[in-house]
Amino acid sequence: MPQRLMTRARGAGSALSAFTPAQKLLAVLGVAVLVLGGAAFSRWATAPTYAPLFSDLAGEDAQAITEQLTADGVEYALEDGGTTIMVPKEAVSAQRIKAAAAGLPGDSSTGYSLLDAEGMTSSQFQQQITYQRALEGELASTIEGIAGVSTAVVHLAVPEESIFDDQAGTATASVLVDTAAGAALTDDQVQSVVHLVSSSVPDLAVDQVTVSDSEGTLLSAAGSGLSGGIGGRDGQTNEHEQRTEAAVQSMLDRVVGPGNAVATVTAELDFDQTQRVTEDFTSTPDVEPLSESTQVENYVGAQAGVGGALGDNGVLGMDGQEVAAAIEEQGGYTKESTTRNNAVNKTTETTTAAPGAVRRQSVAVVVDTTAAADAGVPQLTQLITAAAGIDAARGDTLAVSQLPFDTTAADAAAEELAAAAAADAAAQRQQLIAAGGIGLLVLVLLVVLALLWRRAAKKRSRQVVDLGEIDALYRRDDVITQDGAAVGAGPAGPQLVAAGPSPEALRRAEVGDLVDQQPTEVAAVLRGWLSERTR
């Protein structure tokens, strides 16, 4: 085996020495590319797959977790400015369990963890302030769980309860949110923040929560909510205008074609919240009364004169005079009164007008003269009136005009777009050509390397040729065995008698010696002769 390896090594060295300088350079480059590619593939295949262990960590928690990972000998990587720790995927579960056992991550400066540090000697005021701080921290952590919110700060203003105050104060809250880069809170997310805070604090109304972002934009104002704030009113108005304008523009594009009409809508919304209470009382004659009472009073008196301030019978008239006429004629009187409580139907209706109703809107439409000639302005006016919901009784206005459109800018933009498209196509073709050239060059290089390698492999390959036994050319008297004994004369048969050293015999002897000394090189030469004769 070593002799064969040495033989192959000598053959490879001989083949390499037969290369030209250019072939040697290409061979070296090919070997270098193979080695580098193998190293890169091995590194990629053996590199661990990282997964996030924890995200949005505080500085203290990140330091404690990295120290634990270092002590355990676990590789890790820090991302997002050190707030996210990445570890190999197979170690995530184990490291999370260890971190949880160590109480990590855990920020002891906010949340209900503040109550753990309360002592028995804390005053009632300290306990109330600590509880309020803990509640603010928990609310901030909850709000930070909303997508797009990076940091949140909550401040609560809870009035102190007192038995000496008849009217309790109103609880209010303010929330400051800092969104992630490129993110913005939607109206639904702002409403979620408002309701989360309102539902977590006792006696805190929804309209008493103020939400603002880090840039100072008011997202929800206390006392009016999302739709009542300045930003909310403008947003609702803009939404109505854009929705109506989109409806009108879509209809015009289908009728007169895209780019032949422009619609603009200006709306005024009513944000006043009104409440009306209506009560109606009705009775049904056929229904029996709920209750009825009758009182009858009879009096019989003597026919005596009236005496005193009240008279003898003590009865006064409507104007303070005695009722003497009835007494004199009849000697008394009869009084009857009836009280009847009828069933009365009562209907109470409370109507609350929500803010945001359209108070007035104006629509202006300009149509290209050429396009309006086919459709007709009266017909377009009817279509726009129906599409925009124009109400003349409400004070809405509509103006439809036809004017020639200036298409210079549009034509220039179209030409620029066409030129840009042609430039992009040319750049793509250039990239394709360059990529094809590089690929072709690499292919040619691989083909050249393959041919060189094949030629070198042919030169290194050796073929064993069996020449058979060569009979002795000269007669020998004795044949000596391996143990040194003579067995007699050589084999019988025709023997050549050496008359003297001939040139052919000398060359054969030299060839025989050369075969004994360098069998590999002689076999290579013979194989080359055979291959040339075959070709």
Side-chain angles (χ1 to χ4, degrees), residues 157-173:
V158 181
E160 183 180 359
E161 297 181 359
S162 176
I163 59 176
F164 302 103
D165 192 359
D166 296 337
Q167 297 180 354
T170 303
T172 59

Side-chain angles (χ1 to χ4, degrees), residues 185-372:
L185 295 182
T186 61
D187 293 343
D188 293 338
Q189 289 177 325
V190 175
Q191 287 285 7
S192 299
V193 172
V194 171
H195 285 82
L196 281 174
V197 176
S198 175
S199 302
S200 302
V201 180
D203 301 329
L204 178 59
V206 176
D207 57 352
Q208 296 301 322
V209 179
T210 302
V211 181
S212 176
D213 62 4
S214 58
E215 296 180 357
T217 303
L218 186 63
L219 304 178
S220 178
S224 56
L226 178 65
S227 61
I230 297 176
R233 292 180 179 181
D234 293 342
Q236 190 171 353
T237 302
N238 293 334
E239 182 180 358
H240 173 77
E241 292 175 352
Q242 292 175 3
R243 184 171 61 251
T244 306
E245 183 177 330
V248 175
Q249 189 67 48
S250 177
M251 184 268 298
L252 291 174
D253 290 342
R254 290 179 176 272
V255 174
V256 298
N260 292 325
V262 178
T264 303
V265 178
T266 302
E268 181 182 353
L269 303 185
D270 186 5
F271 292 99
D272 297 335
Q273 186 173 3
T274 59
Q275 184 175 3
R276 182 179 62 184
V277 179
T278 304
E279 292 185 354
D280 294 334
F281 297 90
T282 58
S283 61
T284 305
D286 299 336
V287 178
E288 296 293 333
L290 297 177
S291 61
E292 183 178 358
S293 62
T294 302
Q295 183 179 3
V296 179
E297 181 180 356
N298 295 322
Y299 179 78
V300 177
Q303 296 181 358
V306 179
L310 297 177
D312 295 338
N313 52 10
V315 179
L316 294 179
M318 295 296 292
D319 55 355
Q321 297 180 357
E322 295 181 353
V323 185
I327 297 175
E328 291 177 356
E329 294 177 0
Q330 300 178 1
Y333 71 91
T334 299
K335 180 181 179 181
E336 181 179 354
S337 62
T338 301
T339 303
R340 182 181 294 108
N341 295 325
N342 296 320
V344 179
N345 298 328
K346 179 182 178 182
T347 303
T348 302
E349 180 180 358
T350 303
T351 304
T352 301
V358 179
R359 181 179 295 174
R360 181 177 177 273
Q361 68 176 357
S362 301
V363 180
V365 178
V366 180
V367 185
D368 187 28
T369 304
T370 305

Side-chain angles (χ1 to χ4, degrees), residues 106-121:
D107 191 0
S108 61
S109 61
T110 59
Y112 288 131
S113 58
L114 293 173
L115 302 178
D116 299 336
E118 282 290 318
M120 298 181 59
T121 59

Side-chain angles (χ1 to χ4, degrees), residues 278-500:
T278 304
E279 292 185 354
D280 294 334
F281 297 90
T282 58
S283 61
T284 305
D286 299 336
V287 178
E288 296 293 333
L290 297 177
S291 61
E292 183 178 358
S293 62
T294 302
Q295 183 179 3
V296 179
E297 181 180 356
N298 295 322
Y299 179 78
V300 177
Q303 296 181 358
V306 179
L310 297 177
D312 295 338
N313 52 10
V315 179
L316 294 179
M318 295 296 292
D319 55 355
Q321 297 180 357
E322 295 181 353
V323 185
I327 297 175
E328 291 177 356
E329 294 177 0
Q330 300 178 1
Y333 71 91
T334 299
K335 180 181 179 181
E336 181 179 354
S337 62
T338 301
T339 303
R340 182 181 294 108
N341 295 325
N342 296 320
V344 179
N345 298 328
K346 179 182 178 182
T347 303
T348 302
E349 180 180 358
T350 303
T351 304
T352 301
V358 179
R359 181 179 295 174
R360 181 177 177 273
Q361 68 176 357
S362 301
V363 180
V365 178
V366 180
V367 185
D368 187 28
T369 304
T370 305
D374 299 333
V377 175
Q379 188 174 2
L380 289 177
T381 302
Q382 294 179 0
L383 294 175
I384 296 170
T385 301
I390 301 297
D391 188 0
R394 192 173 54 190
D396 297 350
T397 59
L398 172 63
V400 180
S401 303
Q402 53 178 346
L403 295 172
F405 279 15
D406 185 8
T407 60
T408 304
D411 296 340
E415 293 178 357
E416 292 179 358
L417 289 176
D424 292 340
Q428 292 179 359
R429 286 196 298 271
Q430 293 293 335
Q431 292 178 358
L432 291 176
I433 293 173
I438 294 175
L440 181 60
L441 180 60
V442 172
L443 181 61
V444 171
L445 179 61
L446 293 177
V447 171
V448 171
L449 291 176
L451 293 176
L452 294 177
W453 182 264
R454 183 178 179 183
R455 181 176 299 178
K458 286 183 177 180
K459 291 183 177 181
R460 288 194 302 270
S461 62
R462 296 291 183 268
Q463 182 178 1
V464 180
V465 178
D466 187 6
L467 301 178
E469 296 181 357
I470 301 176
D471 296 334
L473 299 178
Y474 302 98
R475 182 189 182 101
R476 291 180 296 177
D477 296 334
D478 297 321
V479 177
I480 307 301
T481 61
Q482 294 181 355
D483 54 355
V487 297
Q495 300 293 329
L496 298 177
V497 179

Side-chain angles (χ1 to χ4, degrees), residues 13-40:
S14 301
L16 184 61
S17 62
F19 283 2
T20 62
Q23 293 175 347
K24 292 180 180 180
L25 178 61
L26 292 176
V28 171
L29 290 178
V31 172
V33 169
L34 291 177
V35 171
L36 292 177

Side-chain angles (χ1 to χ4, degrees), residues 477-519:
D477 296 334
D478 297 321
V479 177
I480 307 301
T481 61
Q482 294 181 355
D483 54 355
V487 297
Q495 300 293 329
L496 298 177
V497 179
S502 63
E504 292 80 0
L506 293 178
R507 284 195 291 271
R508 291 191 185 95
E510 290 177 357
V511 170
D513 296 337
L514 184 61
V515 169
D516 294 335
Q517 294 176 2
Q518 297 180 353

